Structures are given as C-alpha cells and as structure tokens.
C-alpha cells in the first residue's frame, strides 16, 4: 500500500474514531468504515486506490449532520442524505489533497461519495454494491426488527434497484432471504 493512501485511510479512521455513537464498543463510523473496506476487499479485490478510499470514507464524520436538523418525511431524509454525501466528499477530498493526490483523483472520489454516476460509472456502482452488501450483512437484521413487513419490503426493493445485476446475483447466492424479499434481487 502506498504511503499516501495509508495516510488518507489513517486520517479517515482518526476522524471516525471521534464518533460519539458507539456500536460493539467502537465508534459507529469507525466500525462502518472497517466493514466497508473488508467488504470491498472481498467483492472487488482489485479496486483502485480511489475506490478503496471512497469505501473507507463513506460515512466520515456522519454524526456531524444530525438527521433531526432536517424536516421529517422522505423529502427531509433525502435532503439529509444528499448533504451527508457532499460533506463526506468534501472531507475526504481535502484529506486526499493534503496527502499528495491530484485534484482529479480527489474529484473521482468525490463523485463516488456523492453517488454521481450510479448505473453509469463502474466504480460508483461498485461502491453502491458494497454499501448494499454492508447494509444487508450488518444492519438489515436490526433494522428489520424495528419496522413493519411492508416497510422492510420497500427498503429491500429500493436496495436491490440500486445494485448492479452482478451484485443482485451475489446477494441471492450469499444471503438466505425469504422468498418475497429474494424476489427483489432477481433480474
């Protein structure tokens, strides 16, 4: 691993270590970043430096933009998510520039973190597939325990729509889902 990539990953981890929200005795954002990197390594072992950095920085400083500061409902949620993407991109791009990456390389990561190019850009799509896998592997069960069957089905359908055909096929081969949820991942 190059020294500059390690420096950026270390800086992302240092920022995420400040997350006041704890999960499994670790700051949530730090744990999420390590899960993203591990899943990226498993799904895309030849990922570019940019994709590796984007995966680790996906939730950098997520706690700084509270959901409660945005209106209730879907529109407020989407505004919060968009603001999060911009914030994540800005922070990670700055860390990259500080550690010797070019503006073009930083902007590539920024596009990934802002989700610009889903279904059109292979690396943006790869990041989205990794995000979906991390959700299904680590966060789906606790989420499902708190919500109605109808809401769970809608979330699973939205998750599947964001994924590539290859990602959906891998979900079917790697997760045991009830038939009604598995149907969302069938091409």
């Amino acid at each position: 691993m190059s020294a500059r990539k390690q420096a950026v990953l270390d800086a992302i981890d240092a920022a995420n270590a400040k997350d006041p929200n704890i999960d499994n005795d670790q700051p949530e954002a730090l744990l999420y970043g390590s899960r993203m990197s591990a899943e990226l390594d498993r799904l895309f072992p030849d990922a570019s430096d940019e994709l590796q950095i984007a995966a680790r920085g996906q939730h950098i400083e997520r706690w700084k933009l509270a959901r409660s500061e945005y209106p209730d409902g879907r529109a407020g949620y989407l505004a919060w998510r968009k603001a999060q993407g911009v914030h994540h991109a800005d922070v990670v791009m700055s860390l990259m520039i500080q550690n010797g990456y070019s503006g073009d390389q930083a902007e590539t990561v920024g596009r990934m973190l802002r989700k610009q190019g889903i279904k059109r850009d292979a690396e943006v799509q790869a990041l989205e597939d990794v995000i979906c896998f991390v959700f299904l592997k680590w966060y789906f069960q606790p989420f499902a325990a708190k919500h109605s069957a109808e809401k769970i089905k809608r979330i699973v359908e939205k998750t599947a729509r964001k994924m590539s055909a290859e990602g959906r096929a891998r979900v079917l081969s790697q997760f045991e889902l009830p038939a009604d949820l598995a149907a969302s991942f069938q091409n």
Side-chain angles (χ1 to χ4, degrees):
M1 179 178 308
S2 71
R4 68 181 181 167
K5 180 171 73 175
Q6 187 63 59
V8 172
L9 296 178
D10 289 347
I12 291 168
D13 289 349
N16 283 339
K18 297 174 185 170
D19 187 348
N21 304 296
I22 304 299
D23 183 5
N24 289 334
D25 297 323
Q26 292 184 55
E28 282 182 5
L30 183 64
L31 180 60
Y32 183 82
S34 68
R35 288 173 172 170
M36 285 290 294
S37 288
E39 204 63 17
L40 177 70
D41 289 346
R42 188 178 75 78
L43 296 171
F44 300 97
D46 297 324
S48 68
D49 283 5
E50 291 84 358
L51 183 52
Q52 291 175 49
I53 291 168
R56 186 60 110 350
Q58 166 67 17
H59 278 179
I60 192 168
E61 298 181 344
R62 184 177 174 94
W63 68 95
K64 288 191 172 186
L65 297 176
R67 172 65 181 96
S68 61
E69 294 176 13
Y70 293 80
D72 290 338
R74 182 154 173 78
Y77 173 74
L78 294 174
W80 173 73
R81 288 265 314 263
K82 184 173 183 168
Q84 286 284 12
V86 169
H87 175 71
H88 302 324
D90 289 348
V91 172
V92 173
M93 289 170 62
S94 176
L95 294 173
M96 290 179 72
I97 296 297
Q98 290 170 29
N99 286 284
Y101 282 92
S102 72
D104 287 344
Q105 290 169 308
E107 181 53 38
T108 295
V109 171
R111 279 193 305 277
M112 287 185 229
L113 293 171
R114 291 186 301 267
K115 310 297 186 286
Q116 296 171 321
I118 291 178
K119 303 289 185 182
R120 297 183 316 273
D121 180 290
E123 288 195 309
V124 176
Q125 188 60 56
L127 179 63
E128 190 63 35
D129 283 358
V130 171
I131 292 165
C132 293
F133 265 84
V134 168
F135 169 70
L136 290 168
K137 186 173 186 175
W138 296 101
Y139 302 97
F140 178 71
Q141 291 275 348
F143 175 86
K146 298 177 192 173
H147 297 284
S148 69
E150 296 82 24
K151 183 168 186 170
I152 293 164
K153 186 162 176 37
R154 282 194 313 272
I155 295 298
V156 168
E157 288 169 351
K158 289 176 187 176
T159 299
R161 279 195 302 268
K162 292 188 281 186
M163 296 182 79
S164 67
E166 296 84 8
R168 289 191 304 273
R170 286 181 94 161
V171 165
L172 290 171
S173 71
Q174 295 177 22
F175 293 96
E176 291 195 25
L177 296 170
D180 63 326
L181 299 181
S184 300
F185 293 94
Q186 295 169 346
N187 293 328

